[in-house]
Structures are given as C-alpha cells and as structure tokens.
Amino acid sequence: AAGVIQSPRHLIKEKRETATLKCYPIPRHDTVYWYQQGPGQDPQFLISFYEKMQSDKGSIPDRFSAQQFSDYHSELNMSSLELGDSALYFCASSRRGGSNEQFFGPGTRLTVL
Amino acid sequence: DQQVKQNSPSLSVQEGRISILNCDYTNSMFDYFLWYKKYPAEGPTFLISISSIKDKNEDGRFTVFLNKSAKHLSLHIVPSQPGDSAVYFCAASDGGNAGNMLTFGGGTRLMVKP
C-alpha cells in the first residue's frame, strides 16, 4: 500500500539558509500534519492543513511557513535556519471521517551547521 | 509542562512474556489516545487506539487499557516477540478522534530478548 512520501530524506544546511521540505500524503487523504522531533525528544506538532486550509497551529516558529497545494501535497518552508532547527521532521496524513488515524512518513532529517 | 508522560524510558522483556507500557496524561480535554511504534530511521507506525468512551480495545496481541479517573493508559503486548523491539510512543488528541493534533509522550524503548 502507498505510504506518505517525504523528500528529501536528509538535508544539510548552514545557519541563516533556507530549506523546503516536501510531503506527499497517502492517496485520497485530505489532511496533512507536520511534526518536529529534536534529538532525544518526542515529536512536537507544528501545523496541519485540511483541504488546503490551515487547520491547527502548534509550536511553529514565525520563521517557518507551510502550505497545502491543490494535489494535497504540502511543503514546509524554513528560513533563517538556526542550529536548534536540526531535527527530524515528520509529515503525517489522514482522511477526515471515522477515526482519522494519522499515518506518518519516514521523516526528513535536517542538519543545520 | 508535558501533558503526556511515559515515565519508563526503557523496558526489557523476555520473548513470550507480557510487555506492559504505561502512559499518563494531565489534560482532561484529551478524549482519544493512540499508541505508535517507531523503528530507527522510520516514521511512527500506528498500532492501536482507544476512545475515551471505552476502557479497553484489543487487536491481536495488542490491548490498550484506559483508566480515565486516573488519567492513565497502558499497552499490553502478549506474547512479546523480538520483532516488537522498538520505541513506543503514547499520543493523545482532543475532538474525539485522531484528526486533531497529537500530543506525544517521550517514548519507551522496548527490548524483547530471545
């Protein structure tokens, strides 16, 4: 079965650079979520989108922005990168209705040098 | 302030025995709870969930128990298998289902010894 696809899987950037992470949800899923997992920490919710509209907002820094496109894929844009942004970034998708279980992608490991 | 806590960072169990992973929460608004399993270099994989209107949900070797008055849930794995070795995250949501943002616990690393 098709899973959530995230690209790139690994990304190395320098401080103050920008990064764009992409997420392709499971087909027919209409909701996308972004989570950040720092070293030794639990995943923290950043933001979610339903039908291309922002649905929920968590602890997402102002330097980050995200959107969901007409094909339901989502992009997380990160600017003025800081060392503390180094983390695993997970995208999850779900289909609204029923229990709405979130299915996670493999994550993008971002390293800021 | 962590709203979902898994107080045991690790657990070691013999193959064939029962594994019990525990989770506590503080937010009374949480009404849907999930367990995820995570292998290194992979995203969390959904295991089992429970709504706050139930106190038990079973799926094969996995059973989740919910004690709302104690704000406590547990995951039982019987019998434990070496392939179950992974990090297990407890997660909670409000809104009655998993569609809202999830708040995760810190995870418990389960090691099942052959």
Side-chain angles (χ1 to χ4, degrees), chain A residues 33 35 42 99-102 105, chain B residues 32 36 49 97-100 102 105:
Chain A
Y33 313 77
Y35 292 84
D42 50 286
S99 58
N100 297 326
E101 266 85 20
Q102 296 179 30
Chain B
Y32 200 84
Y36 282 84
S49 62
N97 59 57
N100 290 354
L102 297 178

Side-chain angles (χ1 to χ4, degrees), chain A residues 56-69:
Chain A
D56 256 327
K57 194 170 181 180
S59 51
I60 184 169
D62 292 339
R63 299 177 289 109
F64 294 6
S65 65
Q67 57 182 324
Q68 186 180 30
F69 294 86

Side-chain angles (χ1 to χ4, degrees), chain A residues 92-107:
Chain A
S93 75
S94 70
R95 184 172 183 181
R96 192 159 283 201
S99 58
N100 297 326
E101 266 85 20
Q102 296 179 30
F103 293 85
F104 283 77

Side-chain angles (χ1 to χ4, degrees), chain B residues 65-80:
Chain B
F65 295 92
L66 174 63
N67 182 334
K68 279 181 295 184
S69 60
K71 293 191 176 70
H72 176 85
L73 62 154
S74 60
L75 174 68
H76 293 211
I77 306 174
V78 183
S80 301

Side-chain angles (χ1 to χ4, degrees), chain A residues 14 16 18 21 37 43 46 55 77-78 84 93 99 101 106 109:
Chain A
E14 302 218 343
R16 292 180 288 278
T18 61
L21 309 185
Q37 185 178 21
L46 292 178
S55 176
N77 299 293
M78 311 158 72
S93 75
S99 58
E101 266 85 20
R109 182 172 293 283

Side-chain angles (χ1 to χ4, degrees), chain A residues 14-28:
Chain A
E14 302 218 343
K15 281 196 306 184
R16 292 180 288 278
E17 285 191 320
T18 61
T20 297
L21 309 185
K22 296 184 179 183
C23 170
Y24 298 87
I26 291 172
R28 292 183 297 281

Side-chain angles (χ1 to χ4, degrees), chain A residues 73-110:
Chain A
H73 95 271
S74 177
E75 295 184 4
L76 177 65
N77 299 293
M78 311 158 72
S79 62
S80 302
L81 287 169
E82 302 173 357
L83 295 177
D85 296 329
S86 296
L88 258 177
Y89 290 83
F90 290 109
C91 171
S93 75
S94 70
R95 184 172 183 181
R96 192 159 283 201
S99 58
N100 297 326
E101 266 85 20
Q102 296 179 30
F103 293 85
F104 283 77
T108 294
R109 182 172 293 283
L110 172 66

Side-chain angles (χ1 to χ4, degrees), chain B residues 89-111:
Chain B
F89 286 98
C90 167
S93 175
D94 60 20
N97 59 57
N100 290 354
M101 55 172 277
L102 297 178
T103 301
F104 284 86
T108 296
R109 182 177 299 279
L110 173 66
M111 291 163 284

